Amino acid sequence: MTEERFLKITDISSDGDTTEKIEMDSTCIYYGTPDNYTVEFDEIFAEDMKSRTVLRVKDSICAHLLRRGSINTELIIEKGIRHNSAYSTPYGELMVGITATDFISRADENGVYLKMNYTVDFYGDVNQTKEMTVEVGKVIHGRNDKT
């Protein structure tokens, strides 16, 4: 069953000198099983920059984050394994390495709690550490769509 739900994302980035925290509250479409689920939502980065984001968690140990729109990204986040990922913005393209140091996924009929700590590197040199928390809450009544 596909359900529209409340979504909260907290993203904390640090380059070693400065730390930035971004929080987003929105709605999302959520479907799947506790171990293999998908969360789809729209992200607005600026007035004229918007992307559709699909976050798929596989076997509660790996996340695939796909953005399409103003920002095009395909990240694979898996604990202990470095994945090369494409990151494209209106200003240019980058190839980055992503390595998760921690990955916690809990999902059931009430929602999702996903926490990923990972590093972002450019050509092997760690540039950022990140902590992303995704929380999917209760169903928005009257907007369910059975599939």
Side-chain angles (χ1 to χ4, degrees):
M1 176 168 38
T2 301
E3 300 175 323
E4 186 172 20
R5 294 178 173 239
F6 292 106
L7 171 70
K8 179 175 183 161
I9 296 177
T10 304
D11 186 49
I12 302 170
S13 299
S14 175
D15 65 4
D17 295 323
T18 60
T19 300
E20 180 181 15
K21 180 178 181 179
I22 298 172
E23 293 182 315
M24 179 184 93
D25 293 314
S26 187
T27 59
C28 68
I29 302 297
Y30 165 71
Y31 53 93
T33 66
D35 292 332
N36 297 286
Y37 56 87
T38 300
V39 179
E40 297 183 29
F41 55 96
D42 292 320
E43 287 185 273
I44 299 172
F45 303 98
E47 187 175 307
D48 59 343
M49 291 180 64
K50 180 179 169 182
S51 292
R52 180 68 173 175
T53 301
V54 178
L55 174 64
R56 289 189 176 95
V57 172
K58 183 179 179 202
D59 300 329
S60 295
I61 60 167
C62 179
H64 183 219
L65 181 80
L66 180 66
R67 284 189 184 113
R68 292 293 179 250
S70 300
I71 294 178
N72 295 303
T73 307
E74 187 169 357
L75 304 177
I76 298 173
I77 304 167
E78 186 172 9
K79 186 175 180 179
I81 299 174
R82 184 180 183 276
H83 290 276
N84 288 323
S85 299
Y87 195 91
S88 176
T89 71
Y91 312 107
E93 291 188 28
L94 299 169
M95 185 60 74
V96 298
I98 307 291
T99 307
T101 56
D102 199 17
F103 192 100
I104 300 167
S105 174
R106 292 191 300 267
D108 60 25
E109 66 277 355
N110 297 314
V112 167
Y113 175 82
L114 174 65
K115 182 177 178 182
M116 301 175 288
N117 293 69
Y118 58 97
T119 59
V120 180
D121 70 74
F122 301 98
Y123 305 106
D125 291 329
V126 173
N127 184 276
Q128 280 189 332
T129 58
K130 297 184 72 71
E131 177 181 294
M132 180 187 293
T133 305
V134 177
E135 297 172 89
V136 175
K138 62 184 176 181
V139 174
I140 299 173
H141 294 288
R143 298 194 210 172
N144 293 348
D145 176 30
K146 293 182 181 179
T147 56

